[in-house]
Amino acid sequence: MGTRYEDQPVEQWAGPESLDPTPVWKQYILVALLLVVGLVVVLVVSVTALAPSFVTPPALVPGDRLVLAAADVPAVGAPPKLIASPVIDEARSFYLVQPAKGDVVAVRKTWRPRANEPECQVAVSPQPPGAPRGPQLFTVRDCAMIAPSSAPLFFDAEGARMDSRPPRGLDRYLVSVSGDRVIVNLSRIIESSERTGGPVPTGIPQPQQP
């Protein structure tokens, strides 16, 4: 036989307050709080996304994005422009260059031949005296892992190696152009893949050592 509720001792009965639902006004407060939190999150995200549009260049906005004026971009074929202190710290400095019309590149000023090796300094390679004006090149210096007797390393305006020798090319930052502003994302590094070596392609002129 089953046991009826009335057969249980009185001290085990649940009080009438246990059957009371949550007051409606408390439910309204909870919903209102959730809406306010949601609106704050949307507002913060919107302001962060639109920050590059209303700051005065040069400016560093949330998300490690550096906003520069379009006028800061060198003309096609012009020497790269170094962006460093006091605009940003030296560890994140870079060269701004325009290899082709509308193609803006930010080449990092520091470079590692391989991931586990010390950093080298990236420099603009001067044009040899008397040589016709050509594409701007990069080179590296202060490289402990590269013997002084080794042939110089040259990179094109986009940071790619000028031959098929290892090691890898230069690292860059992600760049976007929006109207009269150039946005360099310092948190997005485009790392060049490491080469394993190979013969120098024939028919490709090699840069002369300055």
Side-chain angles (χ1 to χ4, degrees):
M1 295 180 59
T3 302
R4 295 184 304 171
Y5 180 78
E6 294 83 359
D7 294 337
Q8 302 300 318
V10 175
E11 58 270 14
Q12 295 184 9
W13 291 5
E17 65 278 0
S18 64
L19 301 178
D20 289 346
T22 302
V24 175
W25 65 270
K26 290 185 178 181
Q27 296 180 7
Y28 288 158
I29 290 178
L30 179 60
V31 172
L33 287 176
L34 292 176
L35 288 175
V36 170
V37 171
L39 289 174
V40 170
V41 171
V42 171
L43 181 62
V44 170
V45 172
S46 300
V47 170
T48 301
L50 295 175
S53 301
F54 54 76
V55 297
T56 302
L60 191 63
V61 300
D64 271 348
R65 293 170 296 169
L66 179 64
V67 182
L68 301 172
D72 291 326
V73 179
V76 177
K81 181 176 182 178
L82 177 61
I83 307 296
S85 178
V87 178
I88 54 173
D89 55 90
E90 288 295 330
R92 297 188 292 178
S93 57
F94 61 90
Y95 292 99
L96 200 64
V97 61
Q98 187 174 192
K101 185 65 176 177
D103 181 18
V104 182
V105 177
V107 176
R108 295 193 70 197
K109 191 174 179 289
T110 56
W111 171 77
R112 297 178 188 271
R114 294 175 181 84
N116 59 345
E117 294 178 348
E119 285 186 341
C120 307
Q121 295 296 312
V122 177
V124 178
S125 176
Q127 296 286 346
R133 184 177 180 85
Q136 195 70 49
L137 304 179
F138 290 104
T139 187
V140 291
R141 55 184 175 83
D142 302 331
C143 279
M145 303 304 297
I146 299 177
S149 59
S150 300
L153 301 179
F154 291 98
F155 306 82
D156 66 18
E158 295 189 359
R161 285 298 309 274
M162 295 294 293
D163 54 48
S164 61
R165 292 183 301 157
R168 63 193 187 88
L170 304 178
D171 296 331
R172 304 182 299 167
Y173 289 119
L174 182 65
V175 178
S176 60
V177 180
S178 177
D180 61 347
R181 294 164 188 258
V182 175
I183 304 170
V184 182
N185 195 330
L186 302 177
S187 64
R188 296 287 301 276
I189 299 177
I190 304 173
E191 295 184 347
S192 176
S193 58
E194 185 174 329
R195 290 182 174 179
T196 57
V200 176
T202 59
I204 298 180
Q206 299 303 307
Q208 301 294 322
Q209 181 177 0

